Amino acid sequence: MNYRLLAISGLGACLALTAAACSSSPSASSPASSMPASSMPAASGTTTTSSDFGSGCASVPKTGAGSFTGMSTAPVATAASANPLLSTLVTAVEKAGLVDTLNSASGITVFAPDNAAFAKIPAATLSKVLADKAELTKILTYHVVAGRYTPAQLAAGTPLKTLEGATVSPSMMGGTYEVNSADVVCGNVQTANATVYIINTVLMPPSS
């Protein structure tokens, strides 16, 4: 496994968004009764309400800017900066200088590796990847999909084209939502311009 690429993919959830790439939206699908309730339409750029889910959600603050309510009113990079699960990711976003780009994107889905995912990567390897902006952008865009996807749409198992160009494969296995080999530890988290699924493993584009 290429740890150098793996390290950065974690950043992908939040970093390399482009407003133009985010202009498209997924087709709507009806949520299954066994899935978390959500009134979120699939159209990009639409303000929604939802039910977050997953064991990792217990670590999210109950009140304040980092709470689910607080995050729902802020653009995704700003919202992530208040979430203790994503502090490593936020550091990477700031280092890449992509905060403004991310916050200005409209109607996206972000698969965001948590701190535990980054802890799997050797510190020296991570530092090297962070210094390579072109490679960083490639990995990060693999974690971003245009349009706001519901849990029901992820469970349908349809491959989703990322901004990087390759696809990710969401699914629901034994009651656990997955994206490629990563488990969703806290899903369907809403920000003002994105739906976020926090995952426990960084993803690598198949071309890497």
Side-chain angles (χ1 to χ4, degrees):
M1 177 176 294
N2 190 328
Y3 285 100
R4 187 166 175 265
L5 295 177
L6 184 62
I8 292 308
S9 60
L11 313 179
C14 288
L15 294 185
L17 308 180
T18 63
C22 296
S23 61
S24 61
S25 62
S27 58
S29 62
S30 300
S33 60
S34 61
M35 298 171 191
S38 174
S39 61
M40 179 178 63
S44 64
T46 303
T47 301
T48 64
T49 58
S50 67
S51 296
D52 53 80
F53 62 89
S55 60
C57 294
S59 298
V60 175
K62 304 301 182 185
T63 60
S67 67
F68 293 121
T69 298
M71 291 178 69
S72 70
T73 64
V76 64
T78 300
S81 69
N83 188 323
L85 295 178
L86 302 176
S87 59
T88 304
L89 178 60
V90 169
T91 296
V93 171
E94 295 172 345
K95 193 175 186 66
L98 295 173
V99 172
D100 291 342
T101 299
L102 181 60
N103 280 344
S104 65
S106 176
I108 55 175
T109 295
V110 175
F111 301 109
D114 61 10
N115 292 344
F118 282 105
K120 300 174 184 178
I121 310 303
T125 301
L126 179 58
S127 295
K128 288 181 179 179
V129 181
L130 289 173
D132 187 337
K133 190 171 184 178
E135 183 176 10
L136 176 61
T137 297
K138 176 180 172 63
I139 301 300
L140 298 182
T141 53
Y142 187 60
H143 288 75
V144 182
V145 176
R148 301 181 75 150
Y149 280 83
T150 67
Q153 288 173 310
L154 298 188
T158 302
L160 306 176
K161 186 175 182 178
T162 68
L163 301 190
E164 183 269 340
T167 61
V168 291
S169 298
S171 62
M172 186 171 72
M173 302 293 292
T176 299
Y177 287 84
E178 299 178 354
V179 182
N180 293 358
S181 61
D183 292 342
V184 174
V185 297
C186 185
N188 211 24
V189 178
Q190 302 303 311
T191 74
N193 67 330
T195 298
V196 178
Y197 293 88
I198 300 173
I199 56 178
N200 66 355
T201 305
V202 293
L203 309 175
M204 280 197 306
S207 59
S208 299

